[in-house]
Amino acid sequence: EVQLVESGGGLVQPGGSLRLSCAASGFRFRDSVMSWVRQAPGKGLERLSIISGAGDRTDYADSVKGRFIISRDNAKNTLDLQLNSLKTEDTAMYYCAKLYFYDGPLNYRGQGTQVTVSS
């Protein structure tokens, strides 16, 4: 059974930082393209970043490029997202996701972790 469990969300002031983590199990993590997506209240899913199985290729949405950093540890089956220079518009539920292939559709998604940016 595929499991993706996110952690690390919380309340942070504008300009602050957070680090999200995702613990993966039930599939060959090192062979899987992974992604972070988010959903703000009243909006659709937004894909933020993608990372290849080996971690040697990454892509970012324009909205987070230069502020967020995706990484993975294939020895620990974990996926991280470093969130820097947070803005109020980054407030959303953040999800770890497994993709069918690079830049492809979502295969599985976790339950999410809430990030709230507010002063």
Side-chain angles (χ1 to χ4, degrees), residues 7 10 17 22 46 49 51 59-60 65 70 72 80 83 86:
S7 62
S17 297
C22 172
E46 178 186 14
S49 185
I51 187 167
D59 284 285
Y60 296 90
K65 195 173 295 182
I70 192 170
R72 65 191 297 158
D80 288 350
L83 288 63
L86 283 161

Side-chain angles (χ1 to χ4, degrees), residues 39-72:
Q39 188 165 25
K43 297 188 177 181
L45 274 178
E46 178 186 14
R47 183 172 297 179
L48 303 177
S49 185
I50 305 173
I51 187 167
S52 62
D56 55 353
R57 180 183 177 185
T58 59
D59 284 285
Y60 296 90
D62 288 343
S63 59
V64 304
K65 195 173 295 182
R67 299 189 299 124
F68 292 7
I69 302 170
I70 192 170
S71 62
R72 65 191 297 158

Side-chain angles (χ1 to χ4, degrees), residues 76-114:
K76 297 180 179 179
N77 283 9
T78 57
L79 177 74
D80 288 350
L81 187 69
Q82 177 68 38
L83 288 63
N84 300 319
S85 303
L86 283 161
K87 306 174 183 179
T88 55
E89 53 262 44
D90 293 319
T91 295
M93 185 70 78
Y94 284 68
Y95 300 93
C96 166
K98 177 182 178 297
L99 305 186
Y100 279 102
F101 50 86
Y102 203 87
D103 208 21
L106 266 67
N107 189 198
Y108 292 97
R109 188 181 73 180
Q111 293 299 306
T113 186
Q114 177 69 37

